[in-house]
């Protein structure tokens, strides 16, 4: 079998995190998003792996080569101008000219490898696609099945027009003759070449198998999805807990906790698992790490800091007497002493976040902040729930962040006065 992983997109709904990194390299527990698809490919016996790249392509190529170069015959294909999923698959298809079964996944999915195993096991005919039940089908390609085969497929329908709640999971198995259905795709009203059009064409002429899956699956479309995926991975996708770092006296580890080589936990630290503490991290003294927390690498957590259900990326420093709850913090940030990231609205309603200019309901009572790379907060900064701080932005001391802070700006007063910030680099 040949594997194709689609990893070319920008992931604009994940801003500001994807301003400086490809979406597929966002961290989840001890790995990156793209690793879930690649691990599953390895498990089903794929030997030739093709990764379609474009946005920040060199970063994706470098990571995949370093982590997976010994496991596959690797090949990278540039998509060029992003023109939809069918276009991305077709670019790879023309490059490899397959004469055997091809397994295709989006590179930003988190799922149990059993999903891909089932897709291959139940595959029939020219193509098969995995389908999962979702609450809001309007964001996905939605299928209607009859006797296990796709008879209707609509891309991002209005809620009242959705033929079912079975969403396209972004996982496909196809035979070489599927190429001609890719070739016949024309631009959609959105101006993209949609793979759902190729699948519907194939379903009409040849039949497309719909493989239903009811286990964990997430396409990690927004920052809060990353937290859900991280919590699931820590509980379900890790090896037996290992403690390889230095643990001082009076440290308490509760439940499954992974402490990587080179990490140090100072006296008085309490960690409630599941939690992952990566290489080179230094925690404490007297810190409290609560469940579903991931510290990626070289993270410094100062005296009397509390972290809950958060992802903190490489080289970030959280200074003493700070609190980070239900948040995603980018790389090389510096949170000044006494920085408080609130994660609960005062009125108890679910937290809303601006995504691509629109206010979206996270559906979560608790959600904190999203910080891009290189953010610096002044001492005693308070960040209200659902706020975003762009890469290399900053706050002055004793600031309350009530609105999003754009990239490269400093918030200098509570009523949102912004100035250019020269702290980058």
């Amino acid at each position: 079998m040949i594997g194709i992983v689609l990893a070319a997109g920008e992931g604009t709904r994940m801003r500001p995190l994807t301003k400086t990194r490809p979406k597929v390299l966002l961290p989840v527990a001890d790995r990156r998003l793209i690793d879930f698809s690649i691990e599953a490919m390895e498990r089903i016996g794929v030997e030739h792996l093709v990764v379609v790249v474009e946005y920040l392509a060199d970063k994706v190529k470098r990571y995949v080569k370093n982590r997976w170069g010994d496991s596959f015959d690797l090949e990278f294909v540039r998509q060029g101008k992003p023109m939809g999923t069918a276009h991305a698959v077709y670019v790879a298809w023309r490059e490899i000219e397959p004469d055997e079964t091809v397994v295709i996944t989006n590179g930003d999915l988190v799922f149990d490898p059993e999903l891909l195993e089932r897709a291959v096991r139940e595959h029939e005919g020219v193509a098969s696609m995995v389908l999962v039940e979702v609450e809001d089908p309007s964001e996905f390609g939605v299928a209607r099945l009859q006797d296990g085969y796709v008879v209707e497929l609509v891309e991002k329908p209005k809620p009242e027009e959705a033929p079912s709640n079975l969403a396209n999971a972004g996982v496909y198995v196809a035979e070489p003759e599927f190429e001609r259905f890719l070739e016949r795709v024309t631009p959609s009203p959105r101006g993209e070449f949609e793979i759902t059009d190729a699948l519907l064409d194939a379903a009409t002429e040849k039949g497309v198998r719909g493989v239903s899956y009811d286990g964990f699956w997430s396409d990690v479309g927004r920052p809060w999805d990353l937290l859900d995926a991280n919590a699931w991975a820590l509980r379900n996708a890790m090896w037996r807990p290992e403690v390889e770092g230095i643990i001082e006296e009076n440290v308490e580890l509760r439940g499954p906790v992974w402490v990587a080589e080179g990490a140090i936990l100072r006296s008085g630290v309490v960690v409630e698992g599941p939690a992952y503490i990566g290489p080179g991290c230094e925690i404490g003294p007297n810190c409290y790490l609560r469940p579903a927390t991931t510290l990626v690498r070289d993270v410094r957590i100062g005296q009397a800091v509390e972290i809950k259900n958060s992802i903190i990326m490489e080289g970030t420093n959280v200074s003493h007497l700070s609190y980070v709850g239900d948040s995603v913090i980018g790389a090389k940030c510096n949170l000044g002493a006494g920085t408080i990231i609130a994660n609960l609205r005062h009125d108890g309603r679910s937290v809303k976040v601006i995504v691509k200019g629109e206010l979206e309901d996270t559906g979560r009572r608790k959600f904190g902040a999203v910080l891009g790379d290189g953010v610096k907060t002044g001492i005693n900064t308070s960040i209200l729930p659902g706020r975003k701080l762009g890469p290399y932005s900053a706050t002055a001391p004793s600031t309350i962040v009530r609105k999003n802070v754009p990239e490269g700006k400093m918030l200098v007063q509570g009523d949102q006065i912004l100035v250019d910030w020269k702290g980058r680099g």
Side-chain angles (χ1 to χ4, degrees), residues 227-244:
L227 293 181
D228 291 338
N230 181 65
W232 176 85
L234 286 170
R235 292 183 172 93
N236 299 281
M238 301 285 284
W239 297 100
R240 178 184 297 180
E242 294 182 344
V243 177
E244 298 179 327

Side-chain angles (χ1 to χ4, degrees), residues 13-223:
R13 292 181 300 175
M14 299 295 290
R15 296 285 196 250
L17 303 170
T18 51
K19 286 285 288 184
T20 50
R21 67 174 56 76
K23 180 184 177 183
V24 297
L25 297 190
L26 288 170
V28 174
D30 64 342
R31 60 204 78 176
R32 301 295 189 268
L33 285 178
I34 197 171
D35 290 325
F36 290 89
S37 289
I38 297 179
E39 285 179 5
M41 293 279 190
E42 182 182 42
R43 191 157 159 172
I44 62 171
V46 167
E47 295 181 353
H48 183 184
L49 182 67
V50 182
V51 183
V52 182
V53 297
E54 189 56 43
Y55 179 66
L56 299 177
D58 289 344
K59 290 186 177 182
V60 179
K61 290 162 68 173
R62 183 164 52 249
Y63 176 83
V64 174
K65 283 180 181 177
N66 287 342
R67 180 147 187 174
W68 297 102
D70 295 334
S71 301
F72 298 93
D73 174 16
L74 275 177
E75 186 172 352
F76 297 92
V77 176
R78 297 290 293 258
Q79 182 179 3
K81 182 180 179 181
M83 298 169 65
T85 50
H87 176 257
V89 173
Y90 184 64
V91 167
W93 207 282
R94 290 298 300 270
E95 185 70 25
I96 59 179
E97 297 182 346
D99 58 2
E100 56 186 308
T101 301
V102 180
V103 181
I104 306 159
T105 68
N106 294 340
D108 57 358
L109 305 176
V110 174
F111 56 86
D112 191 293
E114 198 270 334
L115 180 153
L116 204 57
E117 292 174 350
R118 180 180 298 181
V120 172
R121 185 170 61 248
E122 298 186 13
H123 168 60
E124 292 180 358
V126 66
S128 301
M129 62 184 302
V130 176
L131 300 169
V132 294
E133 290 190 9
V134 296
E135 293 183 4
D136 181 8
S138 64
E139 295 192 354
F140 304 93
V142 182
R144 181 168 63 87
L145 299 181
Q146 184 174 316
D147 298 325
Y149 284 85
V150 175
V151 294
E152 188 176 1
L153 190 55
V154 182
E155 184 67 27
K156 297 186 177 179
K158 295 178 181 179
E160 65 274 11
E161 298 176 356
S164 76
N165 65 343
L166 292 176
N168 177 5
V171 177
Y172 320 96
V173 185
E175 299 304 321
E177 62 180 303
F178 186 64
E179 179 179 355
R180 65 190 178 92
F181 299 104
L182 292 169
E183 289 175 336
R184 298 200 307 220
V185 175
T186 57
S188 69
R190 300 191 305 153
E192 295 189 353
F193 294 83
E194 311 278 9
I195 197 167
T196 46
D197 290 340
L199 290 163
L200 185 57
D201 189 11
T204 302
E205 184 174 319
K206 287 282 192 176
V208 169
R209 179 77 172 174
V211 179
S212 297
Y213 179 72
D214 60 2
F216 182 85
W217 166 90
S218 174
D219 70 341
V220 192
R222 293 161 176 80

Side-chain angles (χ1 to χ4, degrees), residues 250-254 257 265-273 275 277 283-291 305-307:
N250 301 318
V251 170
E252 187 175 352
L253 305 181
R254 304 172 182 169
V257 177
L265 275 60
R266 303 291 185 193
S267 179
V269 168
V270 175
V271 183
E272 286 190 35
I277 300 169
I283 317 300
N286 303 317
C287 290
Y288 184 22
L289 270 58
R290 294 168 62 185
V305 169
E306 181 177 348
I307 311 288

Side-chain angles (χ1 to χ4, degrees), residues 328-346:
V328 184
I329 312 297
K332 298 182 179 179
C333 296
N334 188 78
L335 276 58
T339 293
I340 304 297
I341 299 180
N343 61 343
L344 180 66
R345 283 174 54 128
H346 201 56

